[in-house]
Amino acid sequence: MIPNESPDWIGSYQAIDVDITSLHDFAEVVRRDLDENFKQAWNADIRPYFEQGAQMGNSCYIQDLLKVRSYYERCLKKIDESMANFYRGTAAMASAADLVAQRYQGSDAFSAELQDRVKRDIDTALPPPPPASAPVRPTPEVA
C-alpha cells in the first residue's frame, strides 16, 4: 500500500463552481438596486433631513439642549458616513464580481477548447472501432 503523502488541506479541498454569466447578472442587479432604490431614496427622502441638522429647541441659552443638539449632530454625521460607506462597499462588491467574471470568462472557453482537443487527441490515438458487422474476437495471447 502506498502511503498518502499529500498535505492535509488537499483532503478538505472543495471546488468553487461559479457561472460567469451569473456574476455579471449579480453585479448588474446590485448596481441597479443601488441606483434605483438606495441612492434615490437616500437623496430624495432621507438626506434632506440630515442636511437640516438637529431641529430641536430654539434657545441657545440652555446648556443641556446645546449638548443634546451637538450629540444629535454627531449621530447624524455618523449615519451619513455609514450610509456612504455602505454605498461604496456595495458598489465595490459589484465591481469585483464584474472583474472576476471578466478575468475568468475566457477561462471557460479555454477549458472547453482544451477538453475538446484532448478528446480529439485521444480519439486520434485510439485504434478505430471494428466495423459493426465484424465479430469481436479476443486478441491472441502472447506467451
Side-chain angles (χ1 to χ4, degrees):
M1 178 171 193
I2 300 173
N4 182 1
E5 296 179 8
S6 61
D8 293 338
W9 61 267
I10 289 180
S12 62
Y13 172 79
Q14 294 179 353
I16 298 174
D17 295 325
V18 177
D19 177 21
I20 299 300
T21 305
S22 68
L23 275 179
H24 278 299
D25 294 345
F26 169 76
E28 181 59 33
V29 167
V30 168
R31 266 194 223 92
R32 187 176 42 236
D33 193 46
L34 277 176
D35 290 336
E36 293 176 5
N37 294 323
F38 179 82
K39 190 176 181 180
Q40 201 170 51
W42 179 257
N43 288 332
D45 301 329
I46 300 169
R47 186 173 211 122
Y49 294 105
F50 278 64
E51 290 171 352
Q52 290 176 5
Q55 302 294 311
M56 57 179 70
N58 293 325
S59 175
C60 62
Y61 301 108
I62 303 172
Q63 283 291 26
D64 288 340
L65 187 58
L66 292 176
K67 288 178 186 176
V68 170
R69 188 180 297 149
S70 175
Y71 179 74
Y72 186 67
E73 290 285 343
R74 286 194 312 269
C75 289
L76 290 177
K77 186 173 179 133
K78 276 285 201 190
I79 292 169
D80 191 37
E81 290 170 2
S82 296
M83 292 299 104
N85 288 337
F86 170 80
Y87 182 86
R88 283 192 298 271
T90 306
M93 181 183 63
S95 295
D98 258 343
L99 181 62
V100 168
Q102 288 169 2
R103 283 190 178 164
Y104 291 99
Q105 192 165 18
S107 299
D108 285 349
F110 179 69
S111 176
E113 176 58 32
L114 278 179
Q115 184 178 0
D116 290 344
R117 191 168 73 202
V118 167
K119 184 179 179 333
R120 284 193 309 268
D121 290 347
I122 290 173
D123 289 345
T124 302
L126 292 175
S133 60
V136 178
R137 296 185 197 140
T139 55
E141 291 183 25
V142 179

